[in-house]
């Protein structure tokens, strides 16, 4: 029963994440000589990209907290932080769509949603991650 609930949460998260971020981006045509990446490889690439966007938001937040940042620049920095978290959520969602049991990506997705103020989806992502690996911090 718990496994079914976990799978249901993962399916819901994928359904929530993909439509919001499906637009934009282009497909890269595969040639016969290229070996397609496995779902696990695709998930890890998306997860690592999500981490880079999250880290970018962290760096900008740290700069924004300095007292010498001009007011005119603060709003632009806040928008850039918002975009970084939106990109992180997109990448973490992609990782989960490729590998639904990627609890680290689910945790990252929860964190990005929380930073964006989407607390309901953040809790769903955190719950899904904990259902997969209750020991993960």
């Amino acid at each position: 029963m718990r496994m079914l609930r976990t799978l249901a949460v993962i399916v819901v998260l994928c359904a929530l994440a993909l439509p919001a971020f499906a637009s934009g981006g282009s497909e890269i045509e595969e040639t016969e000589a290229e070996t397609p990446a496995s779902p696990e490889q695709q998930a890890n690439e998306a997860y690592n990209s999500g981490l880079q966007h999250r880290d970018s938001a962290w760096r900008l937040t740290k700069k924004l907290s300095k007292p010498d940042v001009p007011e005119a620049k603060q709003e632009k920095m806040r928008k850039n932080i918002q975009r970084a978290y939106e990109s992180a959520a997109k990448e973490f969602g992609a990782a989960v769509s490729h590998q639904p049991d990627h609890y680290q990506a689910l945790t990252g997705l929860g964190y990005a949603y929380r930073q964006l103020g989407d607390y309901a989806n953040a809790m769903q992502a955190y719950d899904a991650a904990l259902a997969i690996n209750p020991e993960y911090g």
Side-chain angles (χ1 to χ4, degrees):
M1 184 68 172
R2 183 176 180 150
M3 185 62 157
L4 288 175
R5 181 175 174 261
T6 301
L7 290 173
V9 170
I10 291 169
V11 169
V12 168
L13 288 172
C14 290
L16 290 171
L18 291 179
F21 302 108
S23 62
S26 61
E27 293 184 21
I28 299 173
E29 293 184 28
E30 291 184 27
T31 64
E32 291 181 12
E34 294 177 5
T35 303
S38 70
E40 183 179 352
Q41 290 170 324
Q42 292 175 335
N44 287 335
E45 287 175 16
Y47 173 71
N48 288 331
S49 179
L51 290 176
Q52 290 174 350
H53 290 292
R54 182 210 60 195
D55 291 349
S56 175
W58 284 355
R59 284 189 298 276
L60 287 167
T61 301
K62 186 176 181 178
K63 287 181 183 178
L64 183 61
S65 69
K66 293 183 179 179
D68 61 341
V69 177
E71 279 190 47
K73 198 171 184 182
Q74 289 178 12
E75 186 58 32
K76 183 178 179 182
M77 291 175 81
R78 285 187 190 92
K79 287 180 182 178
N80 287 337
I81 291 167
Q82 173 90 9
R83 279 194 287 271
Y85 281 122
E86 288 169 353
S87 296
K90 175 183 173 185
E91 293 297 332
F92 290 136
V96 172
S97 71
H98 292 297
Q99 187 179 352
D101 64 346
H102 199 308
Y103 58 89
Q104 299 97 327
L106 283 163
T107 301
L109 183 60
Y111 181 80
Y113 278 144
R114 185 165 55 97
Q115 295 303 313
L116 293 168
D118 188 348
Y119 302 114
N121 283 328
M123 289 305 298
Q124 285 183 324
Y126 286 141
D127 286 344
L130 287 171
I132 296 166
N133 184 354
E135 302 298 317
Y136 188 65

